Amino acid sequence: MKRRREIEKSSSEIRSAIEELSMFIKLKPKDNLDAPRIHIPTKPFLHLCNLVLQVLDKIGPTMLVLRQDIHQNIQRLEKFCELDPSKYANVVEILKKEASEGNARKKTSCSKAFLWLTRSLDFMVALLQRLAKDPGQKMEQAVEESYNIALKPWHGWISSAAFKVALKLLPDSVTFMNILMAKDETYDNLKEEMQTLTSLLVPFLEEIHSILRLQGLDMLKSK
């Protein structure tokens, strides 16, 4: 058990996410000029979302509601993908199928799950950008500003009120940064990795948002 903890600590969630995104970019199918291919690999995308869950776990139980939503949305997409792993290896194929059946806007659709997972990644990018820029910033301020940008515009008043309560229970930023660091890592190393990750995530998420706009999903709000 001790050995396992040491192995886990030697590679942080930030590093794992960088490796995942770097591999995705390297293996991404090249666009054909006559017929550009839109491809968001399902499993790597869900793995990224699972890494977000691990980061939220480190923030603590205050992020429980958001964590549960992300977990449920990941499970929904995983189950759909299992119906035909080869066909649904590209998230876009899932979106197309639900759109053709008129199910995309239903509460339990994979399209909505994908939308909210994307917004959760938006939230994580905003938070990491703020902490990388100013590691000494109050955690409450960094989380609230990130929430206001990425999630609040789409949340109803109940979700927004619950988030306000959660802000009072956050760890301080120094504690959070210490938890994020891998074994023998320094603040400067972590800051650099956070910047690397966000630089990879931003164009990736921009591509996803363009897909959501094409599918008419980008402006959907929670009830």
Side-chain angles (χ1 to χ4, degrees):
M1 181 64 73
K2 180 179 179 182
R3 174 62 178 166
R4 182 181 175 186
R5 286 196 299 267
E6 289 175 350
I7 292 173
E8 290 172 348
K9 187 64 176 174
S10 67
S11 181
S12 68
E13 291 79 10
I14 304 296
R15 288 179 185 172
S16 296
I18 290 172
E19 292 169 5
E20 190 73 48
L21 273 169
S22 298
M23 185 61 68
F24 159 69
I25 293 168
K26 183 178 180 181
L27 298 178
K28 184 180 179 183
K30 299 296 183 182
D31 284 347
N32 183 316
L33 293 177
D34 296 323
R37 185 179 182 188
I38 303 174
H39 186 84
I40 303 296
T42 305
K43 288 187 177 180
F45 175 79
L46 294 178
H47 182 64
L48 268 179
C49 294
N50 273 308
L51 291 171
V52 171
L53 283 184
Q54 294 175 37
V55 172
L56 291 177
D57 284 341
K58 292 186 174 185
I59 295 179
T62 181
M63 293 284 104
L64 181 61
V65 174
L66 179 58
R67 189 198 185 286
Q68 288 176 333
D69 285 345
I70 294 173
H71 181 65
Q72 289 171 359
N73 288 328
I74 289 173
Q75 286 187 317
R76 193 176 304 161
L77 278 165
E78 284 177 338
K79 288 178 181 178
F80 197 100
C81 185
E82 288 169 4
L83 297 175
D84 191 336
S86 178
K87 181 178 181 180
Y88 299 128
N90 181 3
V91 177
V92 178
E93 295 305 318
I94 300 175
L95 302 183
K96 287 179 178 178
K97 179 172 176 60
E98 289 193 336
S100 68
E101 295 174 345
N103 295 327
R105 292 171 175 263
K106 290 185 177 180
K107 184 176 181 180
T108 58
S109 72
C110 286
S111 299
K112 276 199 167 182
F114 180 59
L115 171 66
W116 283 104
L117 287 173
T118 300
R119 288 171 175 170
S120 298
L121 288 172
D122 289 336
F123 168 75
M124 190 55 55
V125 166
L127 178 59
L128 293 179
Q129 285 176 329
R130 277 158 179 73
L131 292 177
K133 183 178 180 180
D134 181 10
Q137 182 180 16
K138 288 185 178 180
M139 192 67 178
E140 181 178 341
Q141 180 184 354
V143 171
E144 183 172 20
E145 289 177 355
S146 303
Y147 173 77
N148 288 344
I149 291 172
L151 294 172
K152 186 177 180 179
W154 316 111
H155 273 173
W157 70 269
I158 294 177
S159 296
S160 296
F163 199 88
K164 278 285 187 182
V165 174
L167 285 174
K168 307 301 180 183
L169 305 172
L170 293 170
D172 62 77
S173 57
V174 174
T175 299
F176 179 60
M177 296 284 275
N178 282 333
I179 296 172
L180 278 184
M181 282 193 292
K183 185 179 180 181
D184 299 327
E185 189 172 27
T186 66
Y187 278 106
D188 286 341
N189 292 149
L190 177 61
K191 181 178 177 180
E192 183 178 340
E193 288 181 351
M194 290 164 73
Q195 291 170 334
T196 299
L197 177 57
T198 55
S199 71
L200 291 170
L201 270 173
V202 167
F204 178 63
L205 289 170
E206 285 176 352
E207 182 176 4
I208 291 177
H209 280 292
S210 69
I211 294 168
L212 291 169
R213 284 192 293 272
L214 284 173
Q215 297 293 327
L217 300 168
D218 59 310
M219 300 301 288
L220 294 182
K221 298 184 178 183
S222 61
K223 298 293 185 181

